[in-house]
Amino acid sequence: MEITLTNPWKFHIATSLPHLLNPPKRPSLSLFTVRCSSSPLYSDGAATGLAERPWKTSDARLVLEDGSIWKAKSFGARGTQVGEVVFNTSLTGYQEILTDPSYAGQFVLMTNPHIGNTGVNFGDEESTQCFLAGLVIRSLSIGTSNWRCTKTLGDYLAERNIMGIYDVDTRAITRRLREDGSLIGVLSTEDSKTDEELLKMSRSWDIVGVDLISDVSCTAPYKWVDPTNSEWDFNSNGREGEVFHVVAYDFGIKHNILRRLASYGCKITVVPSKWPALETLKLKPDGVLFSNGPGDPSAVPYAVETVKELLGKVPVFGICMGHQLLGQALGGKTFKMKFGHHGGNHPVRNVRHNRVEISAQNHNYAVDPASLPEGVEVTHINLNDGSCAGLAYPVLNIMSLQYHPEASPGPHDSDTVFGEFVNLMKQVKQKA
């Protein structure tokens, strides 16, 4: 095949000002011929049977319950998986997000378009495994560049049997979630399943009312002995004073919550989500922590009853799910948010200290402050939507935050709340 192209201009290089002031009056024409041939290397292999395309083609689908179908390319594990799609606005920290148990049952869509460039490493894990249903990203990095990297993101997900997709319009999906709220979706790499079958799966599954805590909690008590790395142990003042024993209920607890407590001089015993309150009191703790965790707080009434039995008997601190359980134990109500809060850059107003803190958040439910009894104080307010982000009830020595003060990933603006919990335990102990 021959193609004749016409170049209407010969490009002149100006070597002096007259050439600029007096350009050629007429363009010169030049003709050249290009001979082209079809190479089997770039064919799809169907016609010649010699080779496939040298680039990856779409081999996965994300089908949402609203009927929209998004073609994508797969990485990590293969198969079919159902989950709730939520978006996370963090710019980095994808490995901490992958190992956060609070994402159980959810597909995490990263709004930051470029993911995977720093690979993964053992030190950034927030739990011993990945609990999320899948990862949705715009662009998968073709290489890694970090001195701590031990493997690629794709290999990491494949080893943990977690599905991932890329080359999908994450901006369009995010807009859809903001307008319609969180949606149930199905990820599939199986050609044998029709779009109609996947759509039916998405519309027949629900995350509301499901106990997701039991599957992410530990099965037996243990003592936290992992020392905080000196690089992150930026508050060791508590180690010079009295050591306080904290019993931490594992509803899906992150390792860095335990590391931050240890950094403030606490000795920690971690117990399962269904650990009886009576057994906790036998350990004679100075305080009790109710951790973060996935799903609907109304789906775990046993946890609410445990919280009720401990209120007023020992200082308590609730984080995320723990905050919501405290709200219910006090007689308040929780509700499902439209699309929740997920990211490391949410502004919160600390009412007590009259300051704004940038926070790390991951939750789909919130406490209705209007439903709480008199005397309960709203200590933090989310500045994006005005929702309750923290509570205190001094009469019963209660404090809580809706977000993640350990901020992994995220800023450390709220790290001092761990010191406030230590001070609360110290005050109660001095009065006893």
Side-chain angles (χ1 to χ4, degrees):
M1 177 175 62
E2 292 188 355
I3 302 174
T4 302
L5 304 176
T6 301
N7 178 14
W9 297 94
K10 281 187 176 178
F11 293 97
H12 296 265
I13 300 177
T15 56
S16 63
L17 186 59
H19 287 82
L20 296 175
L21 298 178
N22 299 290
K25 294 182 179 180
R26 296 184 53 153
S28 301
L29 299 179
S30 63
L31 302 177
F32 59 94
T33 299
V34 179
R35 289 181 172 83
C36 302
S37 63
S38 176
S39 169
L41 177 63
Y42 294 97
S43 70
D44 59 8
T48 64
L50 296 178
E52 297 181 353
R53 298 178 188 269
W55 58 85
K56 187 176 179 68
T57 58
S58 296
D59 62 341
R61 289 165 290 168
L62 172 63
V63 179
L64 300 180
E65 61 177 307
D66 64 0
S68 60
I69 301 171
W70 307 81
K71 292 186 177 181
K73 300 172 184 177
S74 68
F75 70 107
R78 299 181 64 82
T80 299
Q81 180 68 47
V82 63
E84 181 183 41
V85 184
V86 298
F87 62 87
N88 187 299
T89 56
S90 297
L91 297 181
T92 185
Y94 53 81
Q95 188 178 354
E96 291 94 329
I97 292 168
L98 290 170
T99 51
D100 181 352
S102 295
Y103 280 116
Q106 294 178 322
F107 295 127
V108 180
L109 181 151
M110 301 297 295
T111 58
N112 185 34
H114 193 59
I115 300 295
N117 56 308
T118 57
V120 295
N121 67 86
F122 177 76
D124 286 343
E125 293 187 327
E126 288 294 334
S127 63
T128 56
Q129 65 184 93
C130 298
F131 292 97
L132 80 171
L135 182 65
V136 181
I137 62 176
R138 176 66 184 92
S139 176
L140 178 64
S141 178
I142 61 175
T144 59
S145 179
N146 188 282
W147 66 274
R148 301 169 69 228
C149 172
T150 58
K151 63 185 63 177
T152 66
L153 177 58
D155 290 342
Y156 183 81
L157 292 186
E159 290 175 2
R160 285 155 178 77
N161 198 32
I162 300 297
M163 296 184 67
I165 60 171
Y166 67 102
D167 266 13
V168 63
D169 193 343
T170 52
R171 177 177 290 184
I173 299 176
T174 299
R175 286 199 298 265
R176 190 175 295 256
L177 297 177
R178 285 184 59 86
E179 293 172 2
D180 301 335
S182 299
L183 297 170
I184 303 300
V186 178
L187 268 182
S188 182
T189 59
E190 298 179 276
D191 295 333
S192 60
K193 296 187 182 297
T194 66
D195 294 341
E196 290 74 19
E197 288 176 322
L198 298 180
L199 179 60
K200 185 177 180 180
M201 287 179 60
S202 69
R203 291 177 175 175
S204 61
W205 188 84
D206 200 351
I207 198 171
V208 178
V210 179
D211 177 6
L212 297 174
I213 289 177
S214 298
D215 292 334
V216 302
S217 177
C218 62
T219 57
Y222 65 92
K223 295 187 182 298
W224 178 257
V225 295
D226 185 18
T228 303
N229 189 295
S230 59
E231 184 178 359
W232 305 108
D233 195 4
F234 43 78
N235 191 309
S236 58
N237 294 333
R239 296 175 184 269
E240 301 174 0
E242 191 173 3
V243 174
F244 294 92
H245 180 207
V246 175
V247 170
Y249 272 81
D250 180 9
F251 300 131
I253 198 165
K254 295 173 65 178
H255 288 172
N256 270 304
I257 290 178
L258 300 172
R259 292 189 182 107
R260 297 314 304 139
L261 273 176
S263 179
Y264 277 84
C266 295
K267 180 179 68 173
I268 308 165
T269 302
V270 183
V271 298
S273 61
K274 295 183 179 180
W275 187 252
L278 182 61
E279 295 300 317
T280 295
L281 294 175
K282 288 181 180 179
L283 297 174
K284 297 182 179 181
D286 298 302
V288 172
L289 170 76
F290 300 115
S291 81
N292 63 293
D296 184 354
S298 299
V300 287
Y302 62 86
V304 177
E305 289 303 315
T306 300
V307 175
K308 285 181 179 180
E309 293 176 25
L310 291 171
L311 293 184
K313 299 176 182 176
V314 63
V316 298
F317 178 26
I319 294 177
C320 206
M321 171 60 78
H323 161 86
Q324 296 161 15
L325 295 175
L326 277 169
Q328 289 193 0
L330 290 170
K333 297 180 180 179
T334 57
F335 62 93
K336 194 174 193 298
M337 309 179 80
K338 185 175 182 180
F339 47 79
H341 296 155
H342 310 276
N345 45 16
H346 290 240
V348 168
R349 182 162 69 93
N350 186 323
V351 179
R352 282 182 164 180
H353 297 99
N354 194 29
R355 70 186 183 203
V356 174
E357 301 172 2
I358 304 303
S359 64
Q361 308 219 6
N362 176 20
H363 61 101
N364 269 21
Y365 293 81
V367 175
D368 179 6
S371 66
L372 295 170
E374 185 177 353
V376 178
E377 174 189 355
V378 175
T379 58
H380 297 74
I381 298 173
N382 190 295
L383 293 179
N384 284 335
D385 57 14
S387 60
C388 174
L391 296 173
Y393 196 14
V395 174
L396 296 180
N397 300 309
I398 295 172
M399 57 183 290
S400 70
L401 287 180
Q402 176 60 85
Y403 54 94
H404 290 218
E406 83 290 346
S408 298
H412 298 128
D413 295 21
S414 299
D415 187 78
T416 53
V417 72
F418 293 105
E420 294 175 15
F421 183 43
V422 169
N423 289 333
L424 178 61
M425 291 187 288
K426 182 181 298 185
Q427 293 169 9
V428 172
K429 194 169 186 178
Q430 290 173 348
K431 292 179 182 179

